[in-house]
Amino acid sequence: EKAIDHFRRAGNAYHLATNQNNLAEKLMWLGYWDRAEELIQSAIDYFVKAPTAGEYAGSLDTLAQLYLL
């Protein structure tokens, strides 16, 4: 959460979205599914506009894993 807050304040959207996705994955496995979904969706919103598709695909994969639980 601290890293996410830091990147949000710094205006670094790429690292913000990357950390949101990473935290969402951890929260998902701890059972915090609603919060995980919020973070994943936020990361996807950024990555869909990003010039590379790899991170976008990674966030979609995390969301798929959540929905399979």
Side-chain angles (χ1 to χ4, degrees):
E1 293 282 348
K2 288 182 181 181
I4 288 171
D5 185 51
H6 168 76
F7 289 122
R8 183 176 288 119
R9 286 181 295 152
N12 189 323
Y14 173 81
H15 284 94
L16 171 62
T18 299
N19 280 275
Q20 286 174 322
N21 189 65
N22 291 343
L23 178 58
E25 191 171 339
K26 304 321 179 244
L27 291 172
M28 177 179 64
W29 294 114
L30 292 171
Y32 297 100
W33 296 348
D34 290 338
R35 178 70 175 132
E37 186 174 20
E38 290 173 17
L39 289 166
I40 297 166
Q41 290 293 351
S42 181
I44 288 171
D45 289 345
Y46 169 75
F47 286 136
V48 75
K49 302 171 197 166
T52 61
E55 291 84 1
Y56 176 58
S59 291
L60 289 175
D61 179 60
T62 304
L63 185 61
Q65 291 177 44
L66 174 66
Y67 288 159
L68 288 173
L69 292 177

